[in-house]
Amino acid sequence: MVVLVTGANGQLGQSLQFIAPTYPNIQFVFCDSNKLDITNLNNIEQLFKQFKPDFCINAAAYTAVDKAESEPEKAHLINVVGAKNLAEVCKEFDSILLHISTDFVFDGTKDSPYSEEDIPNPTSVYGQTKLDGEKAIQETWDKHFIIRTSWVYSQFGNNFMKTMLRLASERDTLSVVNDQIGTPTNAVDLAEVLAKIITTCNLQPTTYNLFGIYNFSNEGQCSWYHFAKKIFEFNKININLEPIPTTSFPTPAKRPAYSVLDKSKIKKVFGVEVKYWDEVLNIK
């Protein structure tokens, strides 16, 4: 069973590399942007001809939320055109596509967890391009899983947790937004879920009724302030941490005020056990 992974140098890509040795029945092919440029259709076709993957995990994305506001064309190229290219080649080679999307497809005006049936309404260029990427896949190739996730962090790549630890080493006081509510997601947990989906599909070749959109994050909810507080507690860091409203920290892109995801579907369909976000912070 061959699984081709795009975006191998990102935090999800590195998390998949981290868990790969525990799945000896899966031959992972990890491709960074130098080896596989998802905006280049010919590049994708050449690699699919070479490796003939049964599955493709698209962990490549333009994720610079604020920068996307001034680089909409670049965000669109990677998040929409790139996603469509992968779907087209997956269709050509009959490969199942697992694509990572985001809670930013929602506007954050709800006060209860978002399900897969809720109507997206992105408020940023990043969120819009991720939603357009989802639509491009849905219109191109039936054999897909779109996994919406949120607030991803890990010991790899760039993320909120590593930023907080770096800033704590440079400052005595930090101010963090306290009125945006969501759920942190450990990228290794997300990687394990993707492997579970692939394993399930391999055991049940007739999976047409399983394809579609799924939510996955860890359980529970918190603000960015409470996330930072837990990070410092776990790492035994003493710092003066101050909660502030979003209005005190203006950013080019508007964030959802509430973007907790309902995981009922993925738990029911794939038997996924979801750990609470504050129980999986045991990474440095």
Side-chain angles (χ1 to χ4, degrees):
M1 184 165 48
V2 179
V3 178
L4 187 146
V5 180
T6 71
N9 285 347
Q11 58 176 332
L12 177 56
Q14 291 185 70
S15 296
L16 284 161
Q17 292 182 60
F18 179 74
I19 69 164
T22 63
Y23 292 90
N25 61 325
I26 298 176
Q27 180 190 339
F28 285 98
V29 178
F30 291 101
C31 303
D32 62 18
S33 57
N34 292 321
K35 185 175 181 179
L36 174 54
D37 175 4
I38 65 171
T39 68
N40 185 324
L41 195 61
N42 290 333
N43 185 190
I44 301 171
E45 288 180 328
Q46 287 170 4
L47 279 169
F48 271 62
K49 283 176 185 174
Q50 180 182 351
F51 295 106
K52 298 178 176 59
D54 302 288
F55 297 85
C56 173
I57 297 175
N58 182 26
Y62 183 106
T63 57
V65 177
D66 288 321
K67 206 172 179 184
E69 296 296 313
S70 57
E71 292 185 343
E73 296 87 2
K74 187 174 181 181
H76 181 271
L77 184 62
I78 298 169
N79 292 345
V80 186
V81 177
K84 188 174 193 297
N85 286 346
L86 283 169
E88 286 180 358
V89 180
C90 281
K91 183 177 183 179
E92 182 183 341
F93 287 84
D94 195 29
S95 303
I96 295 173
L97 176 60
L98 288 81
H99 175 76
I100 310 303
S101 193
T102 174
D103 58 323
F104 275 57
V105 299
F106 298 115
D107 58 19
T109 57
K110 271 189 82 175
D111 56 6
S112 60
Y114 282 93
S115 76
E116 292 83 354
E117 285 73 42
D118 281 315
I119 306 300
N121 184 32
T123 60
S124 64
V125 168
Y126 167 69
Q128 187 63 57
T129 59
K130 291 299 289 183
L131 178 60
D132 291 344
E134 290 183 9
K135 290 177 178 176
I137 290 168
Q138 291 169 316
E139 292 165 1
T140 304
W141 181 221
D142 292 337
K143 294 185 181 181
H144 66 260
F145 294 97
I146 294 169
I147 314 297
R148 289 173 178 159
T149 190
S150 64
W151 297 23
V152 179
Y153 73 94
S154 66
Q155 62 265 56
F156 312 109
N158 298 312
N159 55 70
F160 179 79
M161 183 186 74
K162 292 180 79 171
T163 299
M164 289 297 103
L165 294 175
R166 176 179 58 79
L167 290 174
S169 69
E170 300 169 355
R171 305 179 188 176
D172 298 322
T173 300
L174 272 179
S175 299
V176 180
V177 170
N178 195 37
D179 57 358
Q180 292 174 23
I181 308 299
T183 309
T185 304
N186 188 318
V188 173
D189 287 358
L190 176 57
E192 291 281 6
V193 166
L194 297 175
K196 179 147 194 168
I197 292 172
I198 288 167
T199 304
T200 302
C201 288
N202 196 48
L203 293 172
Q204 299 174 226
T206 310
T207 55
Y208 286 99
N209 60 327
L210 302 184
F211 295 129
I213 297 175
Y214 290 83
N215 293 336
F216 179 78
S217 67
N218 286 112
E219 288 283 23
Q221 64 182 50
C222 64
S223 68
W224 290 109
Y225 166 79
H226 286 104
F227 186 18
K229 191 176 179 184
K230 279 289 183 183
I231 290 168
F232 296 139
E233 284 177 6
F234 178 80
N235 288 279
K236 296 179 172 59
I237 294 171
N238 290 318
I239 187 168
N240 183 23
L241 189 64
E242 298 178 348
I244 57 169
T246 297
T247 51
S248 296
F249 190 72
T251 55
K254 185 181 178 184
R255 267 83 170 159
Y258 181 91
S259 61
V260 177
L261 299 172
D262 183 327
K263 277 78 68 176
S264 301
K265 182 181 176 183
I266 203 165
K267 287 191 280 190
K268 181 179 179 182
V269 174
F270 291 102
V272 172
E273 292 183 16
V274 187
K275 301 168 187 170
Y276 275 83
W277 71 270
D278 54 353
E279 293 175 354
V280 291
L281 277 173
N282 57 335
I283 55 177
K284 299 290 185 181

